[in-house]
Amino acid sequence: MKALDAPQDINADWLSRPSTQVAPDLIGCVLVRQLPDGKILRGLIVETEAYTPDDPACHAYRRRTPRNSVMFGPAGACYVYLIYGIYHCLNVVTDLDGIPSAVLIRALQLETSPPWIDPQKNVKLHRLAAGPGKLCLALKIDLSLNATLLQPVQPLWLEHRSEQFQQQLNESPSNLTQTTRIGLTQGVDLPWRWYLTDSSAVSKRG
DNA sequence: TATAGGATAGCT
DNA sequence: GCTATCCTATAA
């Protein structure tokens, strides 16, 4: 039985809102990864970006294709894709069934170092998941997780903000910064990137 | 079938 | 600034 003050798992209903609403709300929530061997990795979400149906930078902007089809489905699924032939990126599918939109998870503050990270390498914990590609490396996320549901007993799920985090944000709303997205050639002026202002785990400072 | 290019990251 | 590396979208 769970303690009353334990963080609650995020369900599909909560994600069934426009991605521009969900993206800022996901800052401070926790992404939980359960590996095939049962080990759990957890990271605080510190940076997100929103993509919407009428957004030229959205993979689903033109039409439904095999790659982007999960974005057209109901909220609560993962949309994972390969970029530059090297890295994977993790998105949370948002909004109503039939409305293709998603939130890109760009950076996490990991709670503990993944076991496969070489301690000799002297990489800082707060940089291990500082970027969408690094985040997927750190949590062993690849195309095999595309279209899986974000709920417990799956490989990935989400937890709401802790009471403490919510209180701090209420006291200091400027801890959440909104600005333009990174690395795009289209829709560069849309202010749909959010990050935890004082976090050293954000992919770039801005 | 062919081919251009990308929601990145690390090195120069 | 340069580019690895491969999947995908789009054109032919």
Side-chain angles (χ1 to χ4, degrees):
Chain A
M1 175 150 175
K2 251 180 191 173
L4 285 177
D5 59 352
Q8 298 292 302
D9 300 321
I10 289 177
N11 62 28
D13 274 353
W14 190 86
L15 296 169
S16 299
R17 297 175 288 144
S19 56
T20 48
Q21 288 180 30
V22 174
D25 286 355
L26 276 174
I27 301 293
C29 296
V30 175
L31 179 67
V32 186
R33 169 77 164 116
Q34 181 157 38
L35 298 160
D37 68 3
K39 288 205 175 70
I40 299 272
L41 291 168
R42 299 164 54 86
L44 192 77
I45 298 173
V46 298
E47 184 181 0
T48 58
E49 284 180 359
Y51 292 84
T52 71
D54 55 351
D55 165 13
C58 181
H59 286 174
Y61 178 60
R62 289 170 172 278
R63 72 182 93 256
R64 184 173 183 145
T65 67
R67 178 176 68 158
N68 67 27
S69 66
V70 62
M71 270 206 273
F72 285 77
C78 298
Y79 169 47
V80 181
Y81 66 92
L82 180 69
I83 184 139
Y84 299 112
I86 305 177
Y87 299 103
H88 297 275
C89 290
L90 171 69
N91 294 253
V92 175
V93 174
T94 55
D95 219 315
L96 301 177
D97 194 4
I99 301 183
S101 70
V103 173
L104 172 68
I105 309 297
R106 285 194 56 91
L108 303 174
Q109 172 65 248
L110 293 179
E111 293 184 1
T112 56
S113 187
W116 51 85
I117 299 296
D118 185 356
Q120 311 294 76
K121 292 242 167 157
N122 195 31
V123 275
K124 300 278 192 265
L125 183 61
H126 67 278
R127 301 310 295 167
L128 278 178
K134 297 174 73 177
L135 174 166
C136 287
L137 278 175
L139 298 190
K140 286 202 186 310
I141 294 167
D142 62 22
L143 289 180
S144 69
L145 296 191
N146 187 42
T148 58
L149 296 178
L150 287 157
Q151 53 187 245
V153 193
Q154 297 292 326
L156 284 168
W157 66 91
L158 295 163
E159 288 176 1
H160 282 293
R161 290 168 177 165
S162 69
E163 197 66 32
Q164 185 188 23
F165 184 95
Q166 187 62 57
Q167 281 175 17
Q168 287 174 358
L169 192 56
N170 289 346
E171 290 165 16
S172 311
S174 64
N175 280 356
L176 186 53
T177 298
Q178 177 175 190
T179 182
T180 51
R181 298 175 295 183
I182 288 182
L184 306 172
T185 56
Q186 311 251 22
V188 292
D189 294 326
L190 294 169
W192 289 349
R193 172 176 171 242
W194 289 265
Y195 65 90
L196 198 57
T197 311
D198 56 11
S199 173
S200 58
V202 170
S203 65
K204 294 180 187 175
R205 312 320 313 272

